[in-house]
């Protein structure tokens, strides 16, 4: 993995990069949500946690923190941060945003998922 230098308003920190992608559509939606929140200090944190009917669930949320061991990549002004425990589960995954009649929200296409539950909210 390579190192990416990050700069925020108070410090410069070095964190390893991760192999998760963010589509242009998803990045645009995140930037729009940043504007709604009137915040420019947020990062999109993606994590994998135990739970759901298949064993693991995704968590996506805004976070202003950068924790020890986090891996991060900037996508045109959207910093995606993943904790060191979640990186192996998400390596090669792609985050997108759908806005259709059938579905609205962020989706994660994860090649590491062996399967998912019927509702699609968890994976193994």
């Amino acid at each position: 993995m390579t190192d990416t230098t990050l700069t925020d308003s108070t410090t410069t920190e070095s964190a390893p990069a991760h192999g998760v992608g963010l589509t242009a559509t998803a990045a645009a939606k995140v930037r729009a949500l940043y504007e709604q929140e009137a915040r420019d200090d947020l990062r999109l944190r993606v994590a994998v946690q135990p739970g759901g009917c298949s064993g693991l669930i995704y968590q996506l949320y805004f976070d202003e923190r950068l924790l020890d061991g986090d891996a991060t990549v900037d996508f045109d002004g959207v910093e995606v941060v993943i904790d060191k425990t979640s990186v192996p589960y998400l390596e090669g995954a792609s985050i997108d945003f759908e806005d259709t009649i059938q579905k609205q929200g962020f989706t994660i296409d994860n090649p590491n998922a062996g399967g998912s539950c019927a509702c699609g909210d968890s994976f193994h």
Side-chain angles (χ1 to χ4, degrees):
M1 300 219 172
T2 60
D3 281 351
T4 302
T5 302
L6 306 173
T7 305
D8 65 23
S9 59
T10 57
T11 62
T12 300
E13 301 176 31
S14 182
H18 55 72
V20 174
L22 185 70
T23 67
T25 303
K29 181 62 176 181
V30 171
R31 282 192 296 275
L33 292 170
Y34 286 169
E35 289 177 19
Q36 272 185 327
E37 294 291 321
R39 304 266 311 260
D40 62 0
D41 63 334
L42 298 175
R43 298 169 169 97
L44 178 64
R45 183 170 290 277
V46 184
V48 173
Q49 299 291 318
C53 35
S54 286
L56 298 169
I57 58 172
Y58 299 112
Q59 292 187 330
L60 278 82
Y61 57 95
F62 293 138
D63 195 350
E64 65 273 349
R65 303 167 300 153
L66 188 60
L67 305 174
D68 188 39
D70 281 345
T72 181
V73 173
D74 186 273
F75 294 91
D76 195 23
V78 175
E79 191 175 348
V80 177
V81 178
I82 302 174
D83 65 88
K84 64 184 173 187
T85 305
S86 298
V87 167
Y89 294 103
L90 294 167
E91 196 68 28
S94 178
I95 302 169
D96 196 7
F97 184 80
E98 292 184 38
D99 189 6
T100 66
I101 259 180
Q102 296 173 330
K103 184 175 189 176
Q104 181 182 32
F106 289 95
T107 61
I108 299 177
D109 180 19
N110 187 351
N112 303 305
S116 64
C117 61
C119 64
D121 288 338
S122 67
F123 70 100
H124 62 270

